[in-house]
Protein backbone atom coordinates (compact mmCIF):
# COMPACT_ATOMS: atom_id res chain seq x y z
CA UNK A 1 0.00 0.00 0.00
CA UNK A 2 1.36 3.38 -1.04
CA UNK A 3 1.50 6.11 1.67
CA UNK A 4 0.15 9.54 0.75
CA UNK A 5 2.62 12.49 0.76
CA UNK A 6 2.22 14.77 3.80
CA UNK A 7 3.46 18.35 3.54
CA UNK A 8 3.07 18.87 7.23
CA UNK A 9 2.55 16.30 9.79
CA UNK A 10 1.29 17.39 13.18
CA UNK A 11 4.77 17.59 14.68
CA UNK A 12 6.13 19.65 11.82
CA UNK A 13 3.19 22.03 12.02
CA UNK A 14 3.71 22.54 15.73
CA UNK A 15 7.37 23.30 15.17
CA UNK A 16 6.51 25.81 12.46
CA UNK A 17 4.01 27.54 14.74
CA UNK A 18 6.60 27.81 17.45
CA UNK A 19 9.17 29.30 15.07
CA UNK A 20 6.69 31.83 13.67
CA UNK A 21 5.57 32.81 17.17
CA UNK A 22 9.16 33.22 18.37
CA UNK A 23 10.13 35.29 15.33
CA UNK A 24 7.03 37.49 15.70
CA UNK A 25 7.75 37.99 19.39
CA UNK A 26 11.37 39.00 18.73
CA UNK A 27 10.23 41.32 15.95
CA UNK A 28 7.62 43.01 18.12
CA UNK A 29 10.10 43.36 21.01
CA UNK A 30 12.77 44.91 18.82
CA UNK A 31 10.16 47.11 17.15
CA UNK A 32 8.89 48.55 20.45
CA UNK A 33 12.43 49.02 21.78
CA UNK A 34 13.27 50.97 18.65
CA UNK A 35 10.11 53.07 18.90
CA UNK A 36 10.81 53.74 22.59
CA UNK A 37 14.40 54.73 21.89
CA UNK A 38 13.47 57.07 19.04
CA UNK A 39 10.68 58.63 21.14
CA UNK A 40 12.93 59.10 24.14
CA UNK A 41 15.57 60.77 22.00
CA UNK A 42 13.05 63.01 20.26
CA UNK A 43 10.96 63.94 23.25
CA UNK A 44 13.06 63.26 26.34
CA UNK A 45 16.73 63.19 25.35
CA UNK A 46 18.89 61.46 27.92
CA UNK A 47 22.58 60.94 28.43
CA UNK A 48 24.13 58.74 25.76
CA UNK A 49 26.12 55.67 26.67
CA UNK A 50 29.42 57.21 25.57
CA UNK A 51 32.20 57.72 28.11
CA UNK A 52 31.41 61.13 29.53
CA UNK A 53 33.30 63.11 32.14
CA UNK A 54 30.19 63.40 34.31
CA UNK A 55 30.21 62.39 37.96
CA UNK A 56 26.99 61.44 39.68
CA UNK A 57 26.76 63.21 43.06
CA UNK A 58 24.41 63.30 45.98
CA UNK A 59 22.36 66.45 46.20
CA UNK A 60 24.29 69.23 47.94
CA UNK A 61 23.12 70.28 51.39
CA UNK A 62 21.13 73.49 51.94
CA UNK A 63 22.33 76.62 53.74
CA UNK A 64 19.89 78.34 56.11
CA UNK A 65 19.95 81.53 58.17
CA UNK A 66 19.29 81.50 61.93
CA UNK A 67 15.52 81.54 61.36
CA UNK A 68 15.40 78.71 58.83
CA UNK A 69 15.26 80.84 55.68
CA UNK A 70 16.89 79.11 52.69
CA UNK A 71 20.04 80.93 51.56
CA UNK A 72 21.30 78.26 49.13
CA UNK A 73 19.74 75.12 47.69
CA UNK A 74 20.40 72.68 44.83
CA UNK A 75 17.73 71.75 42.29
CA UNK A 76 17.81 69.45 39.26
CA UNK A 77 18.37 71.31 36.02
CA UNK A 78 19.20 70.44 32.42
CA UNK A 79 22.45 70.72 30.47
CA UNK A 80 22.99 69.87 26.81
CA UNK A 81 25.84 68.29 24.88
CA UNK A 82 26.54 66.85 21.44
CA UNK A 83 28.83 64.42 19.68
CA UNK A 84 30.24 66.75 16.97
CA UNK A 85 30.95 63.80 14.67
CA UNK A 86 27.23 63.08 14.39
CA UNK A 87 26.20 66.61 13.44
CA UNK A 88 25.85 67.04 9.69
CA UNK A 89 25.04 70.72 9.18
CA UNK A 90 27.17 72.29 11.91
CA UNK A 91 26.74 75.88 10.78
CA UNK A 92 22.95 75.73 10.64
CA UNK A 93 22.69 74.07 14.06
CA UNK A 94 25.11 76.65 15.51
CA UNK A 95 22.88 79.49 14.35
CA UNK A 96 19.74 77.86 15.76
CA UNK A 97 21.32 77.05 19.13
CA UNK A 98 22.94 80.45 19.35
CA UNK A 99 19.57 82.13 18.95
CA UNK A 100 17.92 79.97 21.62
CA UNK A 101 20.77 80.09 24.14
CA UNK A 102 21.78 83.70 23.41
CA UNK A 103 25.34 82.59 22.66
CA UNK A 104 27.43 83.75 19.71
CA UNK A 105 26.91 81.14 17.00
CA UNK A 106 30.64 81.24 16.15
CA UNK A 107 31.42 79.96 19.67
CA UNK A 108 29.00 77.06 19.24
CA UNK A 109 30.26 76.30 15.73
CA UNK A 110 33.81 76.08 17.08
CA UNK A 111 32.62 73.44 19.57
CA UNK A 112 30.85 71.50 16.82
CA UNK A 113 34.05 71.45 14.75
CA UNK A 114 35.86 69.74 17.62
CA UNK A 115 37.43 66.30 17.05
CA UNK A 116 36.06 65.16 20.38
CA UNK A 117 33.12 62.78 20.69
CA UNK A 118 31.61 64.90 23.45
CA UNK A 119 31.32 68.66 24.01
CA UNK A 120 29.12 70.68 26.31
CA UNK A 121 26.99 73.22 24.50
CA UNK A 122 25.62 74.83 27.64
CA UNK A 123 25.09 73.68 31.20
CA UNK A 124 22.17 74.64 33.42
CA UNK A 125 19.84 75.85 30.73
CA UNK A 126 16.40 77.24 31.51
CA UNK A 127 13.17 75.22 31.04
CA UNK A 128 12.22 77.53 28.16
CA UNK A 129 15.55 76.97 26.42
CA UNK A 130 15.22 73.22 26.97
CA UNK A 131 11.79 73.08 25.34
CA UNK A 132 12.89 75.15 22.35
CA UNK A 133 15.87 72.81 21.81
CA UNK A 134 13.55 69.77 21.91
CA UNK A 135 11.40 71.48 19.28
CA UNK A 136 14.41 71.57 16.91
CA UNK A 137 14.04 67.80 16.46
CA UNK A 138 17.81 67.22 16.35
CA UNK A 139 18.22 63.67 17.72
CA UNK A 140 21.98 64.10 18.31
CA UNK A 141 21.51 66.77 20.95
CA UNK A 142 21.70 65.07 24.32
CA UNK A 143 20.36 66.34 27.61
CA UNK A 144 21.78 65.68 31.07
CA UNK A 145 20.13 66.06 34.44
CA UNK A 146 22.47 67.97 36.76
CA UNK A 147 22.22 69.79 40.04
CA UNK A 148 21.99 73.53 39.86
CA UNK A 149 22.64 75.82 42.85
CA UNK A 150 20.13 78.59 43.49
CA UNK A 151 20.43 81.52 45.88
CA UNK A 152 17.00 82.98 46.70
CA UNK A 153 18.42 86.20 48.20
CA UNK A 154 21.07 86.59 45.49
CA UNK A 155 23.38 89.54 46.32
CA UNK A 156 22.18 90.13 49.88
CA UNK A 157 24.27 87.48 51.72
CA UNK A 158 26.68 86.76 48.86
CA UNK A 159 29.96 87.42 50.68
CA UNK A 160 28.93 85.26 53.63
CA UNK A 161 27.21 82.40 51.79
CA UNK A 162 29.59 82.41 48.83
CA UNK A 163 28.95 80.40 45.66
CA UNK A 164 29.80 77.13 43.88
CA UNK A 165 31.32 76.50 40.47
CA UNK A 166 29.62 74.67 37.61
CA UNK A 167 30.46 71.33 39.24
CA UNK A 168 28.87 72.27 42.58
CA UNK A 169 32.17 72.82 44.40
CA UNK A 170 32.28 75.70 46.90
CA UNK A 171 34.48 78.60 45.85
CA UNK A 172 34.21 80.99 48.81
CA UNK A 173 32.25 81.80 51.94
CA UNK A 174 30.21 79.13 53.71
CA UNK A 175 30.05 77.13 50.46
CA UNK A 176 33.82 76.73 50.53
CA UNK A 177 34.37 76.40 54.28
CA UNK A 178 31.77 73.64 54.69
CA UNK A 179 32.47 71.95 51.34
CA UNK A 180 32.86 68.49 52.83
CA UNK A 181 29.65 68.68 54.85
CA UNK A 182 27.58 70.23 52.08
CA UNK A 183 28.83 67.83 49.41
CA UNK A 184 27.71 64.98 51.67
CA UNK A 185 24.16 66.35 51.83
CA UNK A 186 24.49 67.94 55.26
CA UNK A 187 22.48 71.13 55.81
CA UNK A 188 24.23 74.11 57.41
CA UNK A 189 22.59 76.73 59.62
CA UNK A 190 24.45 80.01 60.15
CA UNK A 191 24.08 82.94 62.55
CA UNK A 192 23.08 85.48 59.88
CA UNK A 193 19.60 87.02 60.13
CA UNK A 194 18.66 87.53 56.49
CA UNK A 195 15.92 90.05 57.30
CA UNK A 196 18.33 92.25 59.26
CA UNK A 197 20.94 91.68 56.56
CA UNK A 198 18.60 93.10 53.93
CA UNK A 199 17.90 96.22 55.99
CA UNK A 200 21.59 96.81 56.77
CA UNK A 201 22.49 96.40 53.10
CA UNK A 202 19.78 98.82 51.99
CA UNK A 203 20.89 101.45 54.52
CA UNK A 204 24.56 101.04 53.60
CA UNK A 205 23.82 101.23 49.87
CA UNK A 206 21.77 104.38 50.37
CA UNK A 207 24.66 106.04 52.24
CA UNK A 208 27.21 105.02 49.60
CA UNK A 209 25.01 106.38 46.81
CA UNK A 210 24.30 109.65 48.67
CA UNK A 211 27.98 110.40 49.20
CA UNK A 212 29.03 108.94 45.83
CA UNK A 213 31.48 106.72 47.68
CA UNK A 214 33.53 103.92 46.15
CA UNK A 215 32.61 101.18 48.61
CA UNK A 216 31.46 100.45 52.13
CA UNK A 217 30.91 97.81 54.76
CA UNK A 218 28.79 97.12 57.82
CA UNK A 219 28.75 94.41 60.47
CA UNK A 220 26.52 93.63 63.46
CA UNK A 221 27.75 91.17 66.09
CA UNK A 222 26.10 89.77 69.22
CA UNK A 223 28.46 90.34 72.16
CA UNK A 224 26.91 87.53 74.22
CA UNK A 225 28.07 84.76 71.87
CA UNK A 226 30.09 86.38 69.08
CA UNK A 227 27.49 85.48 66.47
CA UNK A 228 27.50 87.68 63.36
CA UNK A 229 23.93 88.78 62.67
CA UNK A 230 24.76 90.84 59.62
CA UNK A 231 27.84 91.39 57.48
CA UNK A 232 27.63 93.47 54.32
CA UNK A 233 30.38 94.43 51.89
CA UNK A 234 29.59 96.65 48.90
CA UNK A 235 29.93 96.30 46.01
CA UNK A 236 28.75 92.70 46.11
CA UNK A 237 27.74 90.16 43.47
CA UNK A 238 24.97 87.82 42.37
CA UNK A 239 26.00 84.16 42.87
CA UNK A 240 23.67 83.18 40.01
CA UNK A 241 25.16 85.64 37.52
CA UNK A 242 28.78 85.06 36.48
CA UNK A 243 28.99 88.46 34.82
CA UNK A 244 29.05 89.98 38.34
CA UNK A 245 32.07 87.86 39.38
CA UNK A 246 34.48 90.78 39.22
CA UNK A 247 37.44 90.99 41.60
CA UNK A 248 36.18 94.15 43.28
CA UNK A 249 32.72 92.62 43.77
CA UNK A 250 34.00 89.32 45.15
CA UNK A 251 36.26 91.03 47.70
CA UNK A 252 34.81 90.76 51.22
CA UNK A 253 35.86 94.00 52.89
CA UNK A 254 34.70 92.95 56.35
CA UNK A 255 36.89 89.84 56.46
CA UNK A 256 39.64 90.51 53.91
CA UNK A 257 40.50 94.21 53.89
CA UNK A 258 43.15 95.83 56.08
CA UNK A 259 42.66 99.45 57.10
CA UNK A 260 44.23 101.92 59.44
CA UNK A 261 41.33 102.41 61.84
CA UNK A 262 41.96 106.01 62.84
CA UNK A 263 40.30 107.44 65.93
CA UNK A 264 38.37 104.26 66.73
CA UNK A 265 41.73 103.12 68.18
CA UNK A 266 41.81 105.92 70.78
CA UNK A 267 39.46 104.32 73.35
CA UNK A 268 41.45 101.08 72.97
CA UNK A 269 44.70 102.93 73.75
CA UNK A 270 43.17 104.67 76.77
CA UNK A 271 41.75 101.39 78.10
CA UNK A 272 45.10 99.67 77.53
CA UNK A 273 46.83 102.29 79.67
CA UNK A 274 44.15 102.12 82.36
CA UNK A 275 44.18 98.32 82.52
CA UNK A 276 47.97 98.28 82.90
CA UNK A 277 47.79 100.88 85.67
CA UNK A 278 49.80 103.39 83.61
CA UNK A 279 47.09 106.06 83.46
CA UNK A 280 44.03 106.91 85.51
CA UNK A 281 40.98 109.08 84.83
CA UNK A 282 42.34 112.01 86.84
CA UNK A 283 45.45 112.42 84.73
CA UNK A 284 45.62 115.47 82.48
CA UNK A 285 47.63 116.12 79.35
CA UNK A 286 48.61 119.35 77.62
CA UNK A 287 47.32 119.37 74.03
CA UNK A 288 48.13 123.00 73.20
CA UNK A 289 51.32 122.16 71.31
CA UNK A 290 52.38 119.54 68.81
CA UNK A 291 53.96 116.41 70.19
CA UNK A 292 56.55 114.56 68.09
CA UNK A 293 55.30 116.73 65.23
CA UNK A 294 51.79 115.32 65.77
CA UNK A 295 48.96 117.85 65.75
CA UNK A 296 45.18 117.95 66.08
CA UNK A 297 42.71 118.73 63.32
CA UNK A 298 40.80 121.22 65.47
CA UNK A 299 42.05 123.93 67.83
CA UNK A 300 42.07 122.92 71.49
CA UNK A 301 39.22 124.02 73.73
CA UNK A 302 39.56 125.98 76.96
CA UNK A 303 43.06 125.97 78.38
CA UNK A 304 44.01 122.86 76.43
CA UNK A 305 44.60 120.73 79.50
CA UNK A 306 42.57 117.58 78.85
CA UNK A 307 41.79 114.65 81.11
CA UNK A 308 41.36 111.15 79.62
CA UNK A 309 37.68 111.57 78.89
CA UNK A 310 38.21 114.95 77.24
CA UNK A 311 40.95 113.49 75.03
CA UNK A 312 38.55 110.83 73.74
CA UNK A 313 35.53 113.17 73.45
CA UNK A 314 37.54 115.78 71.52
CA UNK A 315 39.39 113.01 69.65
CA UNK A 316 42.79 114.56 70.34
CA UNK A 317 45.70 113.01 68.47
CA UNK A 318 48.16 114.86 70.71
CA UNK A 319 46.58 113.61 73.92
CA UNK A 320 46.29 110.01 72.71
CA UNK A 321 49.87 110.09 71.39
CA UNK A 322 51.10 111.11 74.84
CA UNK A 323 49.12 108.28 76.46
CA UNK A 324 50.60 105.81 73.97
CA UNK A 325 54.10 107.07 74.71
CA UNK A 326 53.58 106.41 78.41
CA UNK A 327 52.36 102.90 77.58
CA UNK A 328 55.41 102.13 75.43
CA UNK A 329 56.21 99.65 72.67
CA UNK A 330 56.54 96.56 74.87
CA UNK A 331 53.09 97.04 76.42
CA UNK A 332 51.54 97.91 73.06
CA UNK A 333 52.84 94.69 71.52
CA UNK A 334 51.72 92.63 74.50
CA UNK A 335 48.21 94.11 74.57
CA UNK A 336 47.76 93.81 70.79
CA UNK A 337 48.71 90.16 71.05
CA UNK A 338 46.18 89.58 73.85
CA UNK A 339 43.40 91.38 71.99
CA UNK A 340 44.09 89.38 68.80
CA UNK A 341 45.66 92.00 66.53
CA UNK A 342 48.59 89.80 65.56
CA UNK A 343 46.79 86.78 64.15
CA UNK A 344 44.07 85.79 61.75
CA UNK A 345 40.65 85.31 63.34
CA UNK A 346 39.63 81.67 63.30
CA UNK A 347 36.18 82.03 61.74
CA UNK A 348 34.07 79.92 59.37
CA UNK A 349 35.46 81.70 56.32
CA UNK A 350 38.61 80.58 54.52
CA UNK A 351 39.21 84.03 53.02
CA UNK A 352 39.51 85.89 56.36
CA UNK A 353 42.80 87.82 56.37
CA UNK A 354 45.55 88.24 58.91
CA UNK A 355 46.18 91.83 60.04
CA UNK A 356 49.06 93.62 58.35
CA UNK A 357 49.85 95.42 61.60
CA UNK A 358 52.97 97.54 61.39
CA UNK A 359 55.58 96.16 59.00
CA UNK A 360 57.88 99.16 59.35
CA UNK A 361 59.91 100.76 62.11
CA UNK A 362 58.30 100.80 65.57
CA UNK A 363 60.06 103.71 67.20
CA UNK A 364 58.85 106.54 69.48
CA UNK A 365 56.94 108.26 66.66
CA UNK A 366 55.23 105.01 65.59
CA UNK A 367 54.30 104.16 69.18
CA UNK A 368 52.55 107.53 69.38
CA UNK A 369 50.78 107.39 66.00
CA UNK A 370 49.65 103.79 66.43
CA UNK A 371 47.93 104.99 69.60
CA UNK A 372 45.45 106.94 67.50
CA UNK A 373 45.13 104.35 64.71
CA UNK A 374 47.74 105.56 62.24
CA UNK A 375 50.46 103.25 60.95
CA UNK A 376 48.84 99.99 62.09
CA UNK A 377 46.37 98.04 59.93
CA UNK A 378 43.79 95.44 60.93
CA UNK A 379 40.60 94.08 59.39
CA UNK A 380 37.17 95.44 60.39
CA UNK A 381 36.47 92.04 61.94
CA UNK A 382 39.46 92.51 64.27
CA UNK A 383 38.24 95.93 65.38
CA UNK A 384 34.76 94.58 66.09
CA UNK A 385 36.24 91.66 68.04
CA UNK A 386 38.31 94.06 70.16
CA UNK A 387 35.35 96.33 70.96
CA UNK A 388 33.16 93.32 71.78
CA UNK A 389 35.81 91.91 74.13
CA UNK A 390 36.43 95.23 75.89
CA UNK A 391 32.65 95.67 76.31
CA UNK A 392 32.25 92.14 77.69
CA UNK A 393 34.03 92.63 81.03
CA UNK A 394 37.27 91.85 79.24
CA UNK A 395 36.19 88.30 78.36
CA UNK A 396 37.25 87.42 74.83
CA UNK A 397 34.49 87.43 72.23
CA UNK A 398 35.22 85.29 69.19
CA UNK A 399 33.31 86.29 66.04
CA UNK A 400 31.52 83.32 64.51
CA UNK A 401 29.01 82.35 61.84
CA UNK A 402 27.96 79.24 63.79
CA UNK A 403 24.64 79.10 65.56
CA UNK A 404 25.76 76.89 68.41
CA UNK A 405 29.35 77.86 69.02
CA UNK A 406 31.25 76.93 72.16
CA UNK A 407 31.96 79.97 74.35
CA UNK A 408 35.26 80.09 76.23
CA UNK A 409 35.80 82.39 79.19
CA UNK A 410 39.24 83.73 78.36
CA UNK A 411 40.01 86.90 80.29
CA UNK A 412 41.88 89.50 78.24
CA UNK A 413 41.79 92.47 80.60
CA UNK A 414 43.59 92.45 83.93
CA UNK A 415 40.74 94.28 85.68
CA UNK A 416 36.97 94.06 85.10
CA UNK A 417 36.61 97.75 85.91
CA UNK A 418 38.67 98.43 82.79
CA UNK A 419 35.63 97.36 80.77
CA UNK A 420 33.45 99.89 82.64
CA UNK A 421 36.09 102.54 82.00
CA UNK A 422 35.99 101.72 78.27
CA UNK A 423 32.18 101.90 78.13
CA UNK A 424 32.09 105.22 79.99
CA UNK A 425 34.45 106.73 77.44
CA UNK A 426 32.19 105.60 74.59
CA UNK A 427 29.12 106.92 76.39
CA UNK A 428 30.85 110.29 76.90
CA UNK A 429 31.52 110.54 73.14
CA UNK A 430 27.76 110.35 72.50
CA UNK A 431 26.67 112.47 75.48
CA UNK A 432 29.27 115.24 75.33
CA UNK A 433 30.11 115.86 71.67
CA UNK A 434 28.48 118.78 69.89
CA UNK A 435 28.20 117.10 66.51
CA UNK A 436 28.53 113.32 66.86
CA UNK A 437 26.10 112.87 69.77
CA UNK A 438 22.97 114.36 68.19
CA UNK A 439 23.51 112.27 65.05
CA UNK A 440 23.72 108.94 66.86
CA UNK A 441 21.45 109.28 69.90
CA UNK A 442 18.29 107.16 69.97
CA UNK A 443 15.58 108.43 72.27
CA UNK A 444 14.95 106.13 75.21
CA UNK A 445 18.11 104.08 74.67
CA UNK A 446 21.75 104.36 75.76
CA UNK A 447 24.25 104.29 72.91
CA UNK A 448 28.02 104.58 73.03
CA UNK A 449 30.57 104.71 70.27
CA UNK A 450 33.47 106.37 68.52
CA UNK A 451 34.03 107.97 65.15
CA UNK A 452 36.99 107.29 62.94
CA UNK A 453 38.47 109.08 59.93
CA UNK A 454 41.64 107.82 58.30
CA UNK A 455 43.59 108.41 55.12
CA UNK A 456 43.42 105.68 52.52
CA UNK A 457 46.67 104.03 51.47
CA UNK A 458 47.83 104.65 47.92
CA UNK A 459 48.89 101.38 46.21
CA UNK A 460 51.78 103.33 44.67
CA UNK A 461 53.06 104.31 48.11
CA UNK A 462 52.09 106.71 50.86
CA UNK A 463 48.58 108.04 51.40
CA UNK A 464 46.01 109.72 49.21
CA UNK A 465 45.81 113.38 50.15
CA UNK A 466 42.13 113.71 49.28
CA UNK A 467 40.72 110.24 50.01
CA UNK A 468 39.53 109.19 53.44
CA UNK A 469 37.75 106.29 55.01
CA UNK A 470 35.07 107.39 57.47
CA UNK A 471 33.71 105.09 60.14
CA UNK A 472 31.70 104.75 63.32
CA UNK A 473 31.62 101.87 65.78
CA UNK A 474 28.74 101.68 68.23
CA UNK A 475 28.00 99.66 71.35
CA UNK A 476 24.32 99.15 72.09
CA UNK A 477 22.82 99.33 74.63
CA UNK A 478 25.80 100.80 76.46
CA UNK A 479 24.31 100.11 79.91
CA UNK A 480 24.08 96.38 79.14
CA UNK A 481 26.24 95.77 76.04
CA UNK A 482 24.69 93.35 73.57
CA UNK A 483 25.52 94.51 70.04
CA UNK A 484 28.52 95.97 68.24
CA UNK A 485 27.67 97.86 65.05
CA UNK A 486 30.46 99.02 62.78
CA UNK A 487 30.26 100.80 59.43
CA UNK A 488 32.97 102.21 57.17
CA UNK A 489 32.71 104.16 53.92
CA UNK A 490 35.60 104.48 51.47
CA UNK A 491 36.13 107.86 49.84
CA UNK A 492 32.79 109.63 50.44
CA UNK A 493 32.44 112.84 48.40
CA UNK A 494 31.23 116.19 49.64
CA UNK A 495 27.59 117.00 49.07
CA UNK A 496 26.95 119.32 46.13
CA UNK A 497 27.02 122.94 47.20
CA UNK A 498 28.65 122.28 50.59
CA UNK A 499 32.17 122.42 51.95
CA UNK A 500 31.60 119.98 54.80
CA UNK A 501 34.41 117.69 55.86
CA UNK A 502 33.70 114.04 55.29
CA UNK A 503 33.96 112.55 58.77
CA UNK A 504 32.65 109.55 60.66
CA UNK A 505 30.30 111.83 62.56
CA UNK A 506 28.75 113.18 59.38
CA UNK A 507 28.70 110.08 57.18
CA UNK A 508 28.56 107.05 59.46
CA UNK A 509 26.91 108.05 62.75
CA UNK A 510 23.45 108.50 61.14
CA UNK A 511 23.90 105.16 59.36
CA UNK A 512 24.68 103.34 62.62
CA UNK A 513 21.69 105.04 64.22
CA UNK A 514 19.40 103.66 61.49
CA UNK A 515 20.82 100.18 62.02
CA UNK A 516 20.31 100.43 65.79
CA UNK A 517 16.68 101.45 65.27
CA UNK A 518 16.27 98.41 62.99
CA UNK A 519 17.73 96.15 65.69
CA UNK A 520 15.32 97.65 68.25
CA UNK A 521 12.39 96.93 65.96
CA UNK A 522 13.55 93.44 64.95
CA UNK A 523 14.23 92.20 68.45
CA UNK A 524 11.59 94.24 70.31
CA UNK A 525 14.10 95.86 72.67
CA UNK A 526 12.24 97.95 75.31
CA UNK A 527 13.21 101.50 76.22
CA UNK A 528 15.27 102.20 79.31
CA UNK A 529 13.36 102.58 82.56
CA UNK A 530 16.04 104.88 83.84
CA UNK A 531 18.73 107.00 82.28
CA UNK A 532 20.88 107.22 85.39
CA UNK A 533 23.51 104.82 84.14
CA UNK A 534 26.86 106.31 83.19
CA UNK A 535 25.97 109.86 84.26
CA UNK A 536 28.86 109.81 86.70
CA UNK A 537 32.03 111.45 85.43
CA UNK A 538 34.87 109.05 84.69
CA UNK A 539 37.04 111.09 87.01
CA UNK A 540 35.08 109.69 89.96
CA UNK A 541 36.60 106.27 89.37
CA UNK A 542 39.76 107.40 91.06
CA UNK A 543 40.31 110.47 93.21
CA UNK A 544 43.95 110.89 92.46
CA UNK A 545 46.08 113.99 92.06
CA UNK A 546 46.32 115.69 88.67
CA UNK A 547 49.32 114.85 86.54
CA UNK A 548 50.21 117.09 83.60
CA UNK A 549 52.77 116.15 80.99
Amino acid sequence: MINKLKLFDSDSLKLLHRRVFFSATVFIFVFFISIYRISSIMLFPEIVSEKLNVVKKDIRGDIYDRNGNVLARSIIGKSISVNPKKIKDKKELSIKLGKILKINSKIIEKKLLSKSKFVWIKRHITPKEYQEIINLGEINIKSHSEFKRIYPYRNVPSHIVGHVDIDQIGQNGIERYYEEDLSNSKNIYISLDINLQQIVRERLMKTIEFYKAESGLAIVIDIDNGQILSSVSLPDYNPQNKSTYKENNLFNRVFQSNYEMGSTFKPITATMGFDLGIINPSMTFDVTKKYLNIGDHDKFKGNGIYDIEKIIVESSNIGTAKIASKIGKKNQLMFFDKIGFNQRINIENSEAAKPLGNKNNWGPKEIATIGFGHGFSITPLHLVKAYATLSNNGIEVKPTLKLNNKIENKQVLEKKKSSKFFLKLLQAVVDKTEYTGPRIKVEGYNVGGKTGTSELLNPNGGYYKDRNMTSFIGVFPINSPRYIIYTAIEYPKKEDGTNQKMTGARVNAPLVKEIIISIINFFNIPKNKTDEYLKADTNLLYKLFNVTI
Side-chain angles (χ1 to χ4, degrees), residues 63-80:
I63 300 174
Y64 297 89
D65 83 337
R66 66 187 303 110
N67 300 312
N69 294 302
V70 178
L71 304 181
R73 172 169 287 171
S74 292
I75 61 172
I76 295 177
K78 290 290 185 181
S79 298
I80 60 166

Side-chain angles (χ1 to χ4, degrees), residues 327-384:
I327 291 170
K329 178 181 177 180
K330 182 179 178 181
N331 286 324
Q332 263 187 343
L333 287 169
M334 179 186 69
F335 192 84
F336 284 175
D337 189 58
K338 287 170 64 177
I339 207 78
F341 285 172
N342 294 329
Q343 56 269 338
R344 176 186 177 276
I345 291 176
N346 186 20
I347 192 169
E348 303 78 27
N349 182 291
S350 301
E351 298 85 55
K354 180 181 178 180
L356 294 176
N358 173 31
K359 302 296 183 184
N360 305 311
N361 182 49
W362 201 313
K365 178 71 176 286
E366 287 72 31
I367 292 170
T369 60
I370 287 171
F372 57 82
H374 183 84
F376 191 89
S377 298
I378 58 174
T379 74
L381 195 62
H382 282 83
L383 182 68
V384 168

